[in-house]
Amino acid sequence: MRAHYDMILQRLSGMTVGGVPVPAFLGDPPSSVVPPYVFVTPRPSVGVAISTSGADTVLSEGFQVTVVHTSANNTLALQEKVGALLDGYTPAIGGWGTFPLRAVDAQPVRTDTTVVYGPSNLYPRFAVV
C-alpha cells in the first residue's frame, strides 16, 4: 500500500496555485509550513484484505486528502485542483490491479484556531476529502 500512497503524493507534488508550488506531504506536514499545502493521511495496510462477501482477493482502501489555505474560497479552489488531479487517476503499481480513484466523502471547510498563519494573524482554513 505504501507504493500507492507514494504515487498519489507524486501526483499531487506537481500542483501550483498562482504559479507557486503547493507542497504535498504524506502524513502530518511540518509545523513550519505555511498555506497553501496538502497532505495525505493514509491508513495502515493489513496483511490480508477481506471484502464483505468474504473474498480475500479484493482490497478496498480509503485515504484522506486535507487541503489547507488562507480562506474558505481559496480552500475550495485548492480542493477543486486536487480533485481534478486525483479523480479517475489510477496508480500503476506492479503486482496490483488498481481501479481509478474517486472521492466518496468530504468534510466542510473549517477554521483551525489552534494555529496562526504568519504575520497576518489569520487562521488557516482546511477541508478534508
Side-chain angles (χ1 to χ4, degrees), residues 20-118:
V20 176
V22 176
F25 305 95
L26 184 61
D28 294 333
S31 60
S32 61
V33 68
V34 295
Y37 60 91
V38 300
F39 60 97
V40 177
T41 305
R43 294 187 338 186
S45 61
V46 294
V48 176
I50 299 182
S51 69
T52 55
S53 65
D56 63 358
T57 58
V58 176
L59 177 63
S60 180
E61 278 297 316
F63 62 94
Q64 296 178 331
V65 177
T66 302
V67 295
V68 182
H69 214 308
T70 55
S71 71
N73 280 338
N74 289 346
T75 301
L76 290 173
L78 182 56
Q79 186 280 323
E80 289 172 358
K81 286 188 135 220
V82 167
L85 284 172
L86 293 182
D87 188 39
Y89 171 62
T90 306
I93 309 294
W96 288 88
T98 308
F99 291 96
L101 301 178
R102 63 186 174 95
V104 295
D105 194 13
Q107 297 175 7
V109 175
R110 295 182 292 194
T111 303
D112 183 354
T113 58
T114 64
V115 177
V116 175
Y117 168 58

